[in-house]
Each structure stands twice: as structure tokens, then as C-alpha cells.
Amino acid sequence: MPQATRDGVSIYYEHERRDGDGRAPVVFVQGLGFGRWMWRWQREAVADEYDVIAPDNRGTGRSDVGLPPLVARLPGTLRALVLLKLAGYSMGGLAADLEAVLDDAGIYDAHIVGASMGGMIAQRYALEYSRTKSLTLCCTSHGGPDAAPVPEETQERMFDTPDGASERETIRHRMRPAFNERFTNRNPHLMDRLIEWRLEQDAGAPAREAQAAAVQNFDVSDRLDGLRVPTLLLHGTDDQVVPVENARLLEEKISDSRLELVEGGSHLFFIEDDELVNEHLLAFLDEQE
């Protein structure tokens, strides 16, 4: 099992190799709390042509949590406050974890693909390290006061625990804003499978809250004019988590960028509309090679 270490914290990653032609690998960075399962449709789509690297973000899957032991024992409300103000992760730290992974894997050029929080990590990484050959940002934001915020109702839902709900019911409840209702109604077996994958791979509560602290403190809005790599922006027009206005703001600030909107797409549009997203992604990657 390949693992990189930074500041004593072990970061697990998968590295899928093919008999290549010198193309840069594709690195997939997932969203807040989500495990590697999130990218399975895109990983399958690119695997015939590109090597794939898929890290577990700090606190997720097989990666270490890296939080002080006392934090996990605090009551939920106090723990969330301590993580937000004092002990949470930072986006710079998560980007440094990604650098440790690519260094460990011996990668010098990579196509970085990030969604939601993963898109924020990707932005910090591309701004601060030299291995990024191209950038694909899905359903994400540059952060800061100018960004369109996550709707308050969605924020409450994402961290809500319904009275008497089981763990599976809580996951289903929290996940609803990320999908179109029509999709969930038409794909009950897939939704059941996603819940099982989330139970197996997703971050636990303390790490999820630590990642949320990194998201809340993220802001590169005044730095994006320094981003000099080709960038593909993908966003669903019906995203109820990260409003689509954020994609347009990114397009304005990143000089070498192209925006592709998925009409009616949800926050997890790359699952709901995977064939269209994969078509855009592969075409963009091939342009850079």
C-alpha cells in the first residue's frame, strides 16, 4: 500500500499504472469528507489512457487523522468550535499532503482534478507547487467574501443528525442536497451502494469537521491571476451546495480557463452526468498532451 508521510501523518494513495506513452498521470482529489469512491466513474473513463493517482485526504479512508487525541473526545459542539478556531486542517496543509504524495510517487507533471473541497486543494496546490500540468476544477469556489456562499439550509442539512436516525439514515439525509431528487428516486440501488461506500471510506466526524474548517478559512480570490496552467471549469447549473456563480467567478479570474456548464446538474453532477463529464474531461486532457 503506497503511503506518503508529512509531519508524522501517513497519507494513503492508490497509483494505477498502465503501459504508458509518457503522458502525465491524472490525480483525483475528492470533496469534504468523501472517500475515493467519489471518482470511480472518472477513474474508469481515463484509466485506458492515463495513469491514475487517488489519495485519501487527511482524515479520510486509510489516511491518518492527524488530530490531537483530546479533540476526538470532546463533545460534538465544543469539538466543532475548537476545530474551526484552533485545531482544524488548513487548505495549505492539505495541498502540502498532496505534494508529499506526488513526491513519494515520483511524479513530476500531473493533471490535477479536484471537486468541491478537492477543487480548493487543487487551486492551492497549483499556486504553490510546480508539478501541475493542467487543472480541472469541478463544483468549487475560490473562497473569500466575494464567493457565492453555500446556502444556509444546505449547510445545516450537511451536518444535521435527525432524531433517532441510524448511521445509514443520517448519511442519506445529509447527502440529499448534493443530488437531484429525480436522480435519487430513479436510482435507489445506486444510492444504497453509495451509502455503503461512504460507511467504508469517508472521514469520521472529527476529521470531517477539521476539513470543514479548512474550507471555511479558504480564500485564494486575490491570487488566481498567478495561476498559469490550462484550467477546465465544470459545474452543474442546479448545484445546491456550491452555487454555479462560483464557476463564473473562477472563469473571470483564471486567465487560461474554459467553463463547461452541465445544464440542470447537481453538486455531484460528475456522478449523475458521468458520460458528459467524462467526455469533457478526456477531451481537455488529450488537448494538453
Side-chain angles (χ1 to χ4, degrees):
M1 294 190 301
Q3 292 179 327
T5 302
R6 190 181 75 80
D7 290 346
V9 174
S10 177
I11 307 298
Y12 171 83
Y13 64 98
E14 292 183 345
H15 190 177
E16 298 174 356
R17 296 175 175 87
R18 51 181 282 281
D19 294 329
D21 51 6
R23 294 185 174 199
V26 183
V27 181
F28 290 102
V29 191
Q30 63 265 32
L32 197 160
F34 281 31
R36 280 169 283 106
W37 65 267
M38 192 187 88
W39 288 117
R40 65 184 300 122
W41 292 266
Q42 284 66 51
R43 288 176 62 174
E44 289 174 3
V46 307
D48 287 341
E49 298 181 33
Y50 295 88
D51 289 2
V52 169
I53 295 178
D56 279 334
N57 290 329
R58 180 177 291 238
T60 306
R62 299 182 187 180
S63 291
D64 291 346
V65 175
L67 292 171
L70 175 63
V71 170
R73 297 195 290 269
L74 293 173
T77 303
L78 178 59
R79 182 183 66 216
L81 183 62
V82 168
L83 287 169
L84 178 62
K85 301 295 184 183
L86 298 173
Y89 304 152
S90 70
M91 209 60 71
L94 294 172
D97 289 345
L98 180 56
E99 171 69 359
V101 165
L102 296 189
D103 186 60
D104 185 78
I107 302 302
Y108 297 99
D109 291 296
H111 302 289
I112 311 295
V113 182
S116 199
M117 183 189 78
M120 298 176 181
I121 297 171
Q123 289 172 70
R124 278 292 296 259
Y125 184 79
L127 285 166
E128 296 177 7
Y129 300 94
S130 61
R131 302 177 203 258
T132 306
K133 185 169 186 176
S134 78
L135 199 57
T136 300
L137 303 176
C138 305
C139 54
T140 194
S141 160
H142 57 47
D146 294 336
V150 179
E152 192 171 320
E153 180 182 352
T154 299
Q155 289 190 52
E156 292 173 358
R157 184 71 172 257
M158 287 170 61
F159 288 89
D160 184 34
T161 303
D163 292 340
S166 68
E167 190 173 8
R168 284 175 174 79
E169 289 167 342
T170 298
I171 291 173
R172 190 183 299 273
H173 173 80
R174 291 175 173 177
M175 196 163 55
R176 280 188 183 131
F179 284 102
N180 284 319
E181 187 174 354
R182 183 179 180 188
F183 181 84
T184 58
N185 290 340
R186 287 186 170 188
N187 297 276
H189 297 301
L190 174 59
M191 303 312 293
D192 289 341
R193 217 178 329 158
L194 295 185
I195 289 169
E196 294 306 316
W197 291 337
R198 297 201 71 175
L199 285 167
E200 179 186 343
Q201 295 184 22
D202 278 14
R208 191 164 174 261
E209 292 160 7
Q211 290 180 11
V215 170
Q216 289 196 39
N217 293 317
F218 173 70
D219 181 4
V220 293
S221 57
D222 61 350
R223 299 177 60 189
L224 291 178
D225 58 353
L227 198 56
R228 302 300 184 192
V229 297
T231 301
L232 174 64
L233 304 169
L234 296 169
H235 216 113
T237 61
D238 195 28
D239 190 332
Q240 300 300 306
V241 180
V242 180
V244 68
E245 289 80 8
N246 289 292
R248 299 188 178 100
L249 290 170
L250 285 167
E251 184 186 25
E252 290 176 10
K253 289 181 178 290
I254 301 174
S255 58
D256 189 3
S257 64
R258 181 171 80 227
L259 173 60
E260 299 285 356
L261 296 178
V262 176
E263 193 62 38
S266 67
H267 188 57
L268 296 180
F269 69 101
F270 45 87
I271 296 176
E272 293 190 16
D273 302 283
D274 61 297
E275 292 184 2
L276 177 59
V277 169
N278 294 343
E279 182 181 319
H280 285 310
L281 177 60
L282 276 167
F284 175 69
L285 294 175
D286 290 346
E287 286 174 13
Q288 314 312 317
E289 290 291 343

